[in-house]
Amino acid sequence: MLRAGRSQEEIRRHNLGALLRQVHLGGPVSRTVLADRMGLNRSTIMALTAELTSAGLVREERPTDTGKAGRPSLVVRPESDRVYVLAFDVRVDRLVAARVGLGGTVLERMEAVRPRAGADLDDVVGVLAGFARRLHRAASPDAICVGVGAAYCGMIRPADGMVRFGPNMGWVDQAFGAELGHRLGLGLPVAVGNEAHLGALAEHERGAGVGFDNLIYLHGDVGVGGGIIVGGKLLDGDGGYGCELGHMMVNPHDGRPCGCGSRGCLEAEVGEQALLDAAGRSADLFGREGVRTVVEAADLGDLRARDALRRIGDWLGIGVANLINLFNPGMVIFGGMLREVYPGAAAQVRDRVEANVLMISRKARLRVAALGDDATLIGAAELAFAKVLASPLEVLSRSDGALGGAPGADARPHDVMIR
């Protein structure tokens, strides 16, 4: 909201960012619709789009076959191929990198297997920097990188991207953001966020939660994380470490041990290891492949796999019921591993909601992540786009897209899968 007494220049800058955000999140849109959405007259919209077009951030085109009489309003489109960010997703057993164009289009992505081998900061940064150079070289010569964002599966200090605690990989006070920024050599800071927080933002802005200003996102990987949107804003706590939903106590009496040092946390009762143990498959399987094997076996009638999903669903339902009573969300979204587990455990989750949630709050919808496994990656991209959306022309003037001379070796070819 604009404060009273703002100068014309401040108002112009605000409107440029607001218009670009409309196009970035909503896709191609006519000048007429932009004027209606933003409450501005058409001449102001025309002036704003002209500036953004001149800067190479958007382009204007005549619509095809509108079916209406009269001169059609020009359509404003994001310059997805020219303006992009680098987005990274550091998971427990996988590294993902992508070049994401303005408008949220994933232009190219790369992946590598990450061994579960403890504090591996140098290896992670080296692989991601190698990916970044290859992604940059694949861009057109006039393309510009305007930001870098990364999702990490741990507790992040937002100011500098320090990983304060990564319970499933042994990272404690690892300077991830600073080290990755140095190795990239872009002259751009690396914005780092907790993967579940970023998944919540992505699903709120582009996924299942569009139109819901109050939602909860639960993300399963090896552990379980969460993000909570309240009034359209991420609830991040004092210092940015809030919403560690996976460490909510659900089974205090005889709970399983958790990586945080406690017992009976939601993560311990519904995470990957809990599912594999319950299904009797922990000896030879792990990771997403192991989870999928249990889900597929349950679908085929395997009784122990079905019982495992029901057990996980019961504990998950307790956690969801607590969260709904606390935050009264319009929607609860299951992402990561939980996106695959939830369909087979939905009956138990719904039973717990019916039995334990206050009647007035039971209307909360339960959904799987619409963005699939890319929710956290897209969230990292949105984190990277934040500055250009807030101040488009200023950020663009500082960006030159140079990356070819960044220090460090490319990712080892045998580690890489390109999709």
Side-chain angles (χ1 to χ4, degrees):
M1 180 177 293
L2 293 174
R3 69 178 186 272
R6 268 191 156 184
S7 69
Q8 289 299 312
E9 178 59 23
E10 287 178 306
I11 293 171
R12 171 183 152 274
R13 268 190 252 156
H14 169 85
N15 287 338
L16 283 169
L19 192 152
L20 186 60
R21 185 173 181 82
Q22 288 282 342
V23 177
H24 173 66
L25 291 177
V29 59
S30 71
R31 284 184 187 173
T32 300
V33 172
L34 283 170
D36 290 342
R37 287 180 183 173
M38 297 178 64
L40 300 173
N41 61 50
R42 293 190 183 186
S43 61
T44 300
I45 292 294
M46 183 171 65
L48 294 171
T49 55
E51 278 201 78
L52 294 174
T53 299
S54 179
L57 289 161
V58 303
R59 67 180 186 274
E60 294 183 286
E61 300 174 347
R62 295 196 180 280
T64 58
D65 192 23
T66 62
K68 295 181 180 179
R71 185 176 181 182
S73 175
L74 291 177
V75 172
V76 184
R77 295 179 179 273
E79 285 283 13
S80 300
D81 291 330
R82 182 175 185 269
V83 181
Y84 72 92
V85 297
L86 293 172
F88 304 103
D89 190 3
V90 180
R91 306 173 190 174
V92 171
D93 53 13
R94 188 161 299 275
L95 302 174
V96 186
R99 186 164 54 91
V100 182
L102 189 67
T105 304
V106 178
L107 302 170
E108 187 177 5
R109 59 180 289 150
M110 306 177 75
E111 294 189 6
V113 173
R114 178 191 182 193
R116 300 185 182 189
D120 53 348
L121 175 64
D122 191 59
D123 288 341
V124 167
V125 168
V127 171
L128 295 182
F131 280 167
R133 280 188 293 279
R134 294 169 65 176
L135 292 168
H136 176 74
R137 287 197 293 265
S140 61
D142 66 340
I144 299 173
C145 180
V146 296
V148 183
Y152 187 87
C153 50
M155 301 178 73
I156 308 299
R157 187 165 66 195
D160 59 1
M162 173 79 76
V163 178
R164 297 304 309 276
F165 183 42
N168 292 303
M169 290 304 297
W171 282 34
V172 177
D173 289 339
Q174 298 283 303
F176 173 55
E179 288 297 320
L180 181 56
H182 172 70
R183 292 286 287 272
L184 292 177
L186 270 169
L188 293 171
V190 178
V192 185
N194 170 272
E195 97 278 42
H197 290 190
L198 296 182
L201 287 172
E203 287 291 328
H204 170 59
E205 294 182 340
R206 296 188 176 276
V210 170
F212 287 81
D213 281 343
N214 298 280
L215 65 84
I216 293 171
Y217 173 79
L218 281 168
H219 183 86
D221 196 353
V222 173
V224 174
I228 300 175
I229 303 291
V230 176
K233 303 292 184 183
L234 181 70
L235 184 66
D236 55 4
D238 184 22
Y241 310 125
C243 301
E244 282 293 323
L245 307 186
H247 299 290
M248 172 175 50
M249 185 69 63
V250 294
N251 186 12
H253 300 299
D254 58 351
R256 293 168 55 90
C258 182
C260 72
S262 185
R263 301 182 73 93
C265 295
L266 180 66
E267 171 177 307
E269 302 298 343
V270 308
E272 172 195 306
Q273 196 59 51
L275 177 65
L276 296 178
D277 286 350
R281 296 171 181 264
S282 57
D284 53 357
L285 290 171
F286 62 90
R288 193 62 63 85
E289 180 184 352
V291 170
R292 286 175 182 149
T293 298
V294 173
V295 171
E296 289 167 2
D299 288 341
L300 293 172
D302 184 298
L303 294 180
R304 188 164 184 182
R306 286 185 173 182
D307 285 343
L309 286 176
R310 281 194 288 266
R311 174 183 170 82
I312 295 301
D314 196 44
W315 289 119
L316 183 59
I318 291 174
V320 168
N322 285 332
L323 292 169
I324 293 175
N325 280 332
L326 280 169
F327 295 100
N328 184 33
M331 179 175 286
V332 178
I333 302 171
F334 302 96
M337 176 200 80
L338 293 178
R339 184 174 182 269
E340 301 184 51
V341 168
Y342 175 71
Q348 284 68 40
V349 175
R350 293 193 182 105
D351 284 348
R352 282 291 184 179
V353 169
E354 287 296 315
N356 301 115
V357 170
L358 296 170
M359 185 175 295
I360 196 69
S361 297
R362 290 179 198 165
K363 62 181 179 61
R365 303 183 190 184
L366 307 180
R367 297 286 187 271
V368 295
L371 299 174
D373 278 347
D374 275 350
T376 49
L377 181 71
I378 295 300
E382 293 303 322
L383 193 63
F385 276 121
K387 287 189 176 180
V388 76
L389 295 177
S391 187
L393 304 186
E394 180 184 346
V395 171
L396 201 64
S397 69
R398 296 199 307 261
S399 303
D400 62 9
L403 190 66
D410 283 346
R412 296 182 295 276
H414 63 273
D415 287 337
V416 177
M417 297 186 298
I418 303 175
R419 290 192 345 189

